[in-house]
Amino acid sequence: MNTPMLILIAGPYASGTGGDPALMARNLERLEEAAWPVFAAGHVPMIGEWVALPVLRSAGADGPQDPLAAQVMYPTAERLLAHCDAVLRLPGDSKGADQDVAIARERGIPVYFSLEEIPRHVRA
């Protein structure tokens, strides 16, 4: 592989948390745990919440449970997928991550289900 990929890391964020901010923060930490291995493999990791949460804050929303979140969270991931070269789907129930996988497959974007599946970028 001679070009680094922008890889969307998809997995549970709000799913199964009942809106508990501490549980959502822990889920975000789990997503972020995959960022370094993706980067170390020569790619650029991306997590939709890294973009969506600041957008929500700047719109005056009080977090991912705000009614405005429906207009921001999933649409952000869909827009990011127009720029991503692959998706890393982490384990766990997640409607949003499943939607990311479906969009990726529709667009012919590779979907990986483990870090080991991601090809390493090797500098020429």
Side-chain angles (χ1 to χ4, degrees):
M1 161 142 303
N2 44 348
T3 305
M5 294 187 288
L6 179 62
I7 299 178
L8 181 69
I9 301 169
Y13 171 62
S15 298
T17 65
D20 182 324
L23 293 176
M24 287 190 289
R26 179 61 192 126
N27 280 345
L28 183 56
E29 287 174 13
R30 284 189 189 107
L31 293 169
E32 290 175 342
E33 287 169 3
W36 171 249
V38 168
F39 188 82
H43 306 292
V44 178
M46 173 55 65
I47 297 173
E49 286 76 13
W50 287 346
V51 177
L53 293 174
V55 169
L56 274 176
R57 279 192 299 275
S58 71
D62 61 3
Q65 300 300 77
D66 190 283
L68 187 59
Q71 298 174 43
V72 176
M73 299 301 282
Y74 293 148
T76 296
E78 184 173 358
R79 291 178 191 184
L80 281 170
L81 282 166
H83 303 280
C84 289
D85 303 298
V87 172
L88 172 62
R89 174 57 163 102
L90 299 181
D93 291 336
S94 170
K95 177 183 170 187
D98 290 344
Q99 184 175 312
D100 296 342
V101 168
I103 291 168
R105 288 187 169 148
E106 284 174 13
R107 296 179 181 175
I109 299 169
V111 177
Y112 304 111
F113 291 91
S114 73
L115 290 163
E116 295 75 27
E117 293 178 18
I118 297 171
R120 295 189 61 83
H121 165 64
V122 181
R123 290 183 183 250

